[in-house]
């Protein structure tokens, strides 16, 4: 746990726009960055629980194929890459 002095220094950096907590991008204070990082982590875990681990991996493969002008699905179809959406568990 960071000391009060270390937290004050980190908070000062965060208020100047620097990201001091991994996953806390956009937070305007140390506390805000901590909350953002926690929420982002929990969101990914919840999604994995909803669609299953295999579906989550498949979704990541599809998302990794996306470009600025094409979705991952469009690019996968264009390049003949198989995306098995049946792995997305819905229950």
């Amino acid at each position: 746990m960071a000391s009060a002095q270390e937290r004050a220094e980190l908070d000062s950096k965060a208020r100047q726009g620097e990201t001091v907590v991994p996953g806390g991008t956009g937070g305007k204070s140390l506390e805000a960055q901590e909350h953002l990082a926690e929420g982002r982590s929990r969101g990914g875990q919840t999604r994995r629980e909803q669609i299953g681990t295999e579906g989550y991996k498949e979704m990541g493969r599809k998302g990794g194929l996306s470009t600025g002008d094409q979705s991952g699905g469009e690019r996968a179809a264009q390049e003949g890459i198989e995306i098995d959406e049946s792995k997305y568990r819905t229950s």
Side-chain angles (χ1 to χ4, degrees):
M1 188 75 187
S3 71
Q5 182 179 354
E6 290 170 327
R7 287 189 62 79
E9 290 172 11
L10 290 173
D11 189 50
S12 175
K13 289 181 179 182
R15 291 182 187 280
Q16 294 173 8
E18 188 175 328
T19 301
V20 295
V21 177
T25 304
K28 303 295 183 206
S29 69
L30 176 60
E31 185 177 1
Q33 287 189 17
E34 289 171 339
H35 283 102
L36 281 167
E38 183 179 330
R40 288 180 177 139
S41 172
R42 194 174 315 133
Q45 291 169 0
T46 300
R47 186 56 151 172
R48 185 172 45 242
E49 290 168 6
Q50 290 171 338
I51 65 174
T53 301
E54 288 297 316
Y56 192 72
K57 288 178 184 177
E58 218 41 35
M59 186 175 71
R61 281 187 59 217
K62 186 175 181 180
L65 293 170
S66 66
T67 62
D69 58 339
Q70 284 184 313
S71 72
E74 291 170 340
R75 184 156 172 236
Q78 178 185 356
E79 297 188 14
I81 299 171
E82 186 79 24
I83 301 291
D84 185 3
E85 293 186 7
S86 68
K87 292 182 178 179
Y88 298 175
R89 186 182 71 208
T90 57
S91 57

